[in-house]
Amino acid sequence: MDKVKDTAAEAVADIPDGATIAVGGFGLVGVPGVLIRAVLDQGATDLETVSNNCGTDGFGLGLLLEKGRIRRTISSYVGDNKEFARQYLTGELEVELTPQGTLAERMRAGGAGIPAFFTPAGVGTQVAEGGLPRRFVGDGGIAIASPVKETREFDGITYVMELGIVADFALVHAWKGDRHGNLVYRRTARNFNPPAATSGRITIAQVEHLVEPGELDPDQIHTPGIHVQRVVHVGKVPVGIEKRTVRT
């Protein structure tokens, strides 16, 4: 029952080339940066990532992106990352754009054993009707476009079918965790971490505070340990400011 690993390197050592990895975080908050850097050092490549965004320049998944280690990403926000834009437009990176709430539910559904669900988000757009560029070719043409998705009416409202996501691994950041893998997130750092944690066949959590079993109030646990296979104590992790705004 003791799921604690001594180092992040040990926790991610068996992530293979070509793995699909669900990653928590939103912008700079709640990002499992220590684990991502460990994957960078470990060397796995040809990865598919599932995350709200693919990191920022020089941070989070942006580190793997800069080294050409990500082949494909499923994301809902792709701004503020110049390298991401360059790789996408030159055909080096395949991108599956997904509405933000749909992405969270796809991960949650995968973790709950739900293969597909219907949502109104994206109906009447290329999300449902297909044709969104997923991969470009060097001359600006489209190598891979999104497919047409199944739609169905319920009570007179049209919905589009989306597939649940089950990832090979999940990397998440938590404020507190115990040796059984029970996790507590802090405020907005909860974001995509809970659904990412459930979607991974093997979920690895970096925690700022490691406590003993029984110290966490069961009513305050956000992710039960049954979803978590490995825990790494990383200590206090500073949170950057993505857009600093000050008065003149």
Side-chain angles (χ1 to χ4, degrees), residues 42 73 81 136-137 143 158 178 180 183 189 204 214 217 223 225 229:
Q42 182 253 40
T73 187
N81 190 324
F136 287 103
V137 290
T158 302
D178 66 19
H180 291 175
L183 304 179
I204 308 169
D217 180 349
T223 295
Q229 283 68 48

Side-chain angles (χ1 to χ4, degrees), residues 7-229:
T7 64
E10 179 185 357
V12 305
D14 60 345
I15 296 179
D17 293 348
T20 299
I21 307 176
V23 183
F26 186 102
L28 306 184
V29 180
V31 177
V34 175
L35 294 175
I36 291 171
R37 187 170 288 277
V39 174
L40 179 71
D41 295 339
Q42 182 253 40
T45 191
D46 198 33
L47 300 171
E48 177 176 7
T49 59
V50 183
S51 183
N52 174 65
N53 56 291
C54 203
T56 55
D57 293 311
F59 179 76
L61 288 174
L63 295 173
L64 291 172
L65 195 67
E66 289 170 4
K67 298 299 183 181
R69 306 270 282 279
I70 299 176
R71 172 187 59 83
R72 187 178 192 274
T73 187
I74 304 175
S75 300
S76 67
Y77 177 73
V78 297
D80 296 320
N81 190 324
K82 294 178 182 178
E83 179 60 16
F84 182 103
R86 187 197 68 77
Q87 290 189 25
Y88 177 46
L89 294 174
T90 58
E92 298 172 39
L93 178 68
E94 184 177 335
V95 179
E96 183 178 341
L97 282 172
T98 303
Q100 197 165 80
T102 300
L103 179 60
E105 181 62 10
R106 288 183 67 188
M107 287 193 280
R108 191 205 68 81
I114 299 170
F117 60 93
F118 285 91
T119 174
V123 171
T125 74
Q126 285 182 299
V127 169
E129 296 170 0
L132 277 173
R134 288 189 174 177
R135 183 185 290 276
F136 287 103
V137 290
D139 61 2
I142 299 174
I144 302 174
S146 65
V148 177
K149 296 177 181 177
E150 178 183 342
T151 59
R152 193 176 299 183
E153 275 198 13
F154 297 92
D155 296 324
I157 300 174
T158 302
Y159 295 80
V160 59
M161 190 179 76
E162 297 282 0
L163 301 179
I165 294 174
V166 178
D168 300 313
F169 290 82
L171 308 179
V172 299
H173 171 90
W175 178 48
K176 286 185 179 181
D178 66 19
R179 293 182 178 275
H180 291 175
N182 297 302
L183 304 179
V184 177
Y185 309 104
R186 187 171 187 268
R187 298 177 180 171
T188 58
R190 192 187 309 187
N191 52 57
F192 277 79
N193 280 296
T198 64
S199 73
R201 291 187 176 93
I202 297 176
T203 294
I204 308 169
Q206 65 171 55
V207 302
E208 295 192 37
H209 304 279
L210 179 64
V211 301
E212 295 303 317
E215 290 188 42
L216 297 177
D217 180 349
D219 284 338
Q220 301 302 314
I221 291 171
H222 298 132
T223 295
I226 192 171
H227 294 295
V228 180
Q229 283 68 48

